[in-house]
Amino acid sequence: MISAMQQQLDFIAYIQRMLVEGEFTATYKYALLHAIADICVEQQNEDQSAPMEIKIDTLVDKFIQLYWNHSMPYAAHSTDIITNTEDMLLKQNSQGQAKFITEIYKLQNAGVKSYNAFKNYQQYNQVISSLRRTFIDGPLWRLQLLSGKEECFLYPHILLGKGREPKRIVLNAGISQCFRRFYDLVVHLSVTEWIEKVQTIKANQTLLGSQSQLQEFLFGSNRTALKVVTPLLIDIQNGLCFYCQKPMNLKNEKETKKTPEIDHFIPFKRYPNDLAHNFVAAHADCNNNKRDHLAAFAHRDRWLEQNLDIHKAEITNKLQPYFYCDADKSLAVSNWAYQVAESSSAKLWLGKNSFEQAKPTAELFTFPNAPQPELNQVAEPAVSLKSVDEALKLPYFPNIKIACGHFKTGDSSDVEYLDAPLGAGKLDPNVHFLARASGNSMNGGKHPILDGDLLLLELITSDRAGSLRGQIVAIERDDISGDGQYLLRKVNKLPNGQYELVAQNPDYEVMIADESMRTFARLKQVVL
Ligand SMILES: [Zn+2]
């Protein structure tokens, strides 16, 4: 096994070689690099050092997203009178046109106005199918041909190639972590070279103007659609700037510094895709001062509360026609951005010219009046945890049943040791433990939890708390005899400050957290 650091160096070297030695007549290799990088950030992979699976259809969908704006007529600097708008499409292949562009152009002419509209298009599956072959035979296979020879550093080629029908690729162990770590660099390189390629294609010369305009056209944020975001966010924020919380100037246009502007909460430069839940309204000067910095943790928590919690549905409803709406994806992207910032000790923007150092927060989330020491007391298993020598073992508490339904009594007097599940990331027997689910209330949604499932849980301690909003959490309370009772629910904060505990199975009613309850452990995953 090579070390993670060596692998990261090899990764950078490989990407550099790929850009030089790869042979492409179309711009697909840039799109594929960009696509894989995006997916690594958007798709939560619990264990970042493990191999990561990506569905071919997810990649094809991502290609359509990336090429969407590229498939509109480019008119900026054209002096010739062009009557056929198809002639105003920039060529993305030196020998004709890239098939993705042609197909997306057709879609747009059939009335599908945005990528988000395409996601809900009734012929979505047919479109994906029609482009899958092109994708598999072209970029997926060719990306890793360096100077004509296969070098499968990113993913194995087994099952790829002409005539095959692969459903997925699997990124080699550690590769998704490299993409997350070096996302900015990979995307910047691929976009820069992509633009250069478009400029050098002869057939594009008559259409093209300056590079800055081309960049804005191909990779800019959708400025026109941003106009619809402003009134919504002004309303949600009661006219206050998201960052400094002071009133924005909604009337006097002379004082432009205080005029509301739309800011990408996770900066567009960091993650160049418009996601509806990523917008906040801020003073022009606050926005300019923040530039491409990530905002401080206090702002992050407020953003989570405003856009992913209280106003989540409203934002989706209002912005759906214009922007891609996926609150889970927004959350995954922000988690990624803050993780990278923490690991590189980046400076986070607090306010005008002031910064804080990115380090893990110690914000502990508890329900009102939950006594902190008690939490730790009960959380600590009664037996001492041995240090583990060979294969990592985790404590398993057969008598604790994490109830999926109603609170169930359990105790931690009995403990066994089981092998730590593979692919679950860094585990620590002092923090991570196993227990079984019991009941049916979490049997629903995208990731159902079934009666009897073995759960990998992480104790919530003051040094690994973070925000628990939207997460699945084991909640504890004492029964009359003083024994612990445990319940698994998703936690949401309500506008009135209370917390609601939501079951994934709609047959179970939402509970409101009360003072007797404490957050005990967060669910890491169901062990298969
Ligand atoms: Zn402000």
Side-chain angles (χ1 to χ4, degrees):
M1 273 278 288
I2 50 165
S3 72
M5 195 183 280
Q6 184 59 47
Q7 188 182 31
Q8 293 182 352
L9 292 173
D10 292 346
F11 175 82
I12 299 291
Y14 182 81
I15 300 289
Q16 284 178 326
R17 280 189 55 211
M18 174 188 276
L19 292 171
V20 176
E21 298 178 32
E23 289 159 38
F24 264 77
T25 54
T27 53
Y28 287 155
K29 82 173 157 188
Y30 312 116
L32 184 50
L33 262 186
H34 198 318
I36 296 174
D38 276 6
I39 293 166
C40 286
V41 164
E42 293 161 359
Q43 203 167 291
Q44 296 245 26
N45 192 25
E46 277 294 340
D47 180 5
Q48 290 168 21
S49 55
M52 182 174 129
E53 190 180 292
I54 304 177
K55 293 202 179 78
I56 300 288
D57 288 0
T58 306
L59 286 161
V60 175
D61 177 288
K62 191 47 133 175
F63 257 53
I64 294 173
Q65 185 182 13
L66 288 170
Y67 277 112
W68 192 269
N69 286 349
H70 300 202
S71 308
M72 295 177 179
Y74 182 85
H77 275 259
S78 172
T79 46
D80 300 336
I81 297 158
I82 301 172
T83 44
N84 180 358
T85 55
E86 195 164 357
D87 293 340
M88 288 161 70
L89 297 181
L90 289 169
K91 297 271 190 300
Q92 300 241 3
N93 187 327
S94 46
Q95 299 163 358
Q97 182 56 287
K99 187 168 179 206
F100 271 84
I101 298 278
T102 319
E103 292 303 310
I104 297 168
Y105 178 72
K106 274 191 214 157
L107 273 176
Q108 292 171 348
N109 279 326
V112 186
K113 289 296 174 211
S114 66
Y115 166 71
N116 199 53
F118 167 68
K119 297 285 279 183
N120 300 306
Y121 183 47
Q122 36 167 277
Q123 288 171 45
Y124 174 88
N125 289 329
Q126 285 99 307
V127 175
I128 296 282
S129 298
S130 73
L131 288 166
R132 200 185 285 135
R133 197 72 259 164
T134 306
F135 177 76
I136 294 168
D137 292 347
L140 191 62
W141 161 251
R142 288 192 180 165
L143 183 70
Q144 300 187 107
L145 291 184
L146 271 55
S147 303
K149 279 175 81 179
E150 285 176 67
E151 289 190 41
C152 303
F153 183 81
L154 304 178
Y155 49 88
H157 274 172
I158 312 166
L159 298 179
L160 302 186
K162 285 217 187 299
R164 306 267 199 166
E165 297 285 345
K167 295 272 184 287
R168 57 187 64 83
I169 57 166
V170 179
L171 297 183
N172 293 326
I175 295 297
S176 70
Q177 200 170 17
C178 291
F179 272 108
R180 288 166 68 90
R181 180 75 180 77
F182 299 111
Y183 177 86
D184 299 32
L185 188 69
V186 171
V187 167
H188 181 78
L189 281 173
S190 69
V191 162
T192 310
E193 301 238 351
W194 191 338
I195 292 170
E196 216 174 283
K197 176 79 182 175
V198 171
Q199 284 177 318
T200 54
I201 293 176
K202 266 219 167 92
N204 290 335
Q205 308 289 319
T206 43
L207 281 174
L208 283 176
S210 68
Q211 172 166 346
S212 62
Q213 295 225 344
L214 180 60
Q215 165 133 20
E216 189 61 24
F217 173 77
L218 295 177
F219 298 105
S221 170
N222 188 342
R223 294 280 157 201
T224 331
L226 278 181
K227 291 199 180 95
V228 301
V229 181
T230 317
L232 172 67
L233 286 172
I234 288 176
D235 184 39
I236 285 176
Q237 296 173 200
N238 298 318
L240 302 180
C241 167
F242 179 81
Y243 294 105
C244 70
Q245 303 283 301
K246 293 189 181 128
M248 293 184 286
N249 188 347
L250 305 178
K251 288 182 196 134
N252 181 4
E253 287 180 14
K254 276 180 201 158
E255 212 199 326
T256 49
K257 277 183 179 175
K258 299 294 170 202
T259 309
E261 281 186 358
I262 295 303
D263 173 55
H264 289 81
F265 184 72
I266 301 298
F268 192 77
K269 194 164 179 194
R270 290 284 169 77
Y271 173 78
N273 296 294
D274 282 328
L275 288 178
H277 293 87
N278 192 37
F279 300 125
V280 294
H283 288 124
D285 59 347
C286 285
N287 187 25
N288 287 335
N289 195 259
K290 177 177 173 257
R291 291 191 300 140
D292 299 324
H293 294 291
L294 213 51
F297 287 113
H299 298 309
R300 194 263 315 256
D301 289 346
R302 215 153 7 84
W303 170 75
L304 282 172
E305 188 165 345
Q306 174 181 301
N307 286 12
L308 297 188
D309 196 352
I310 301 171
H311 299 284
K312 177 172 145 183
E314 188 184 354
I315 291 172
T316 303
N317 292 339
K318 299 259 169 70
L319 298 185
Q320 191 123 259
Y322 312 97
F323 292 101
Y324 182 37
C325 301
D326 185 334
D328 290 344
K329 203 168 266 187
S330 279
L331 182 62
V333 168
S334 77
N335 286 342
W336 155 76
Y338 281 89
Q339 267 170 23
V340 172
E342 282 166 19
S343 64
S344 58
S345 303
K347 292 273 191 286
L348 304 182
W349 186 83
L350 263 170
K352 204 156 194 190
N353 300 327
S354 92
F355 295 87
E356 71 180 9
Q357 181 100 13
K359 47 177 187 261
T361 39
E363 172 216 353
L364 184 62
F365 165 107
T366 46
F367 298 124
N369 304 330
Q372 208 40 56
E374 208 175 322
L375 168 85
N376 289 332
Q377 234 171 47
V378 185
E380 212 73 55
V383 290
S384 69
L385 292 162
K386 309 167 231 179
S387 69
V388 187
D389 35 22
E390 305 145 15
L392 185 69
K393 304 258 184 206
L394 291 183
Y396 164 60
F397 299 96
N399 294 339
I400 292 185
K401 296 262 189 288
I402 305 290
C404 301
H406 306 285
F407 278 102
K408 253 186 201 151
T409 305
D411 71 80
S412 57
S413 59
D414 229 7
V415 63
E416 296 168 15
Y417 284 83
L418 298 182
D419 283 340
L422 290 173
K426 255 194 198 157
L427 296 175
D428 172 0
N430 292 309
V431 179
H432 296 101
F433 65 99
L434 300 159
R436 295 221 175 257
S438 150
N440 257 320
S441 75
M442 298 302 278
N443 185 3
K446 268 192 242 169
H447 305 287
I449 299 166
L450 307 179
D451 188 27
D453 274 351
L454 189 60
L455 308 176
L456 173 62
L457 296 144
E458 178 179 275
L459 283 178
I460 294 164
T461 53
S462 49
D463 60 333
R464 30 166 87 221
S467 175
L468 294 176
R469 283 181 210 108
Q471 297 201 23
I472 294 176
V473 173
I475 292 135
E476 182 201 39
R477 73 173 182 200
D478 294 335
D479 71 3
I480 310 157
S481 68
D483 288 330
Q485 296 185 312
Y486 306 94
L487 176 72
L488 200 64
R489 288 281 169 112
K490 192 169 176 175
V491 175
N492 279 329
K493 192 175 180 186
L494 297 172
N496 64 8
Q498 286 185 311
Y499 294 93
E500 60 175 9
L501 310 176
V502 186
Q504 277 174 193
N505 182 341
D507 294 346
Y508 288 76
E509 275 179 30
V510 172
M511 296 169 73
I512 300 294
D514 65 39
E515 292 167 16
S516 70
M517 301 175 192
R518 293 171 293 276
T519 53
F520 168 60
R522 87 179 88 212
L523 177 67
K524 284 222 29 150
Q525 64 178 70
V526 174
V527 180
L528 297 174

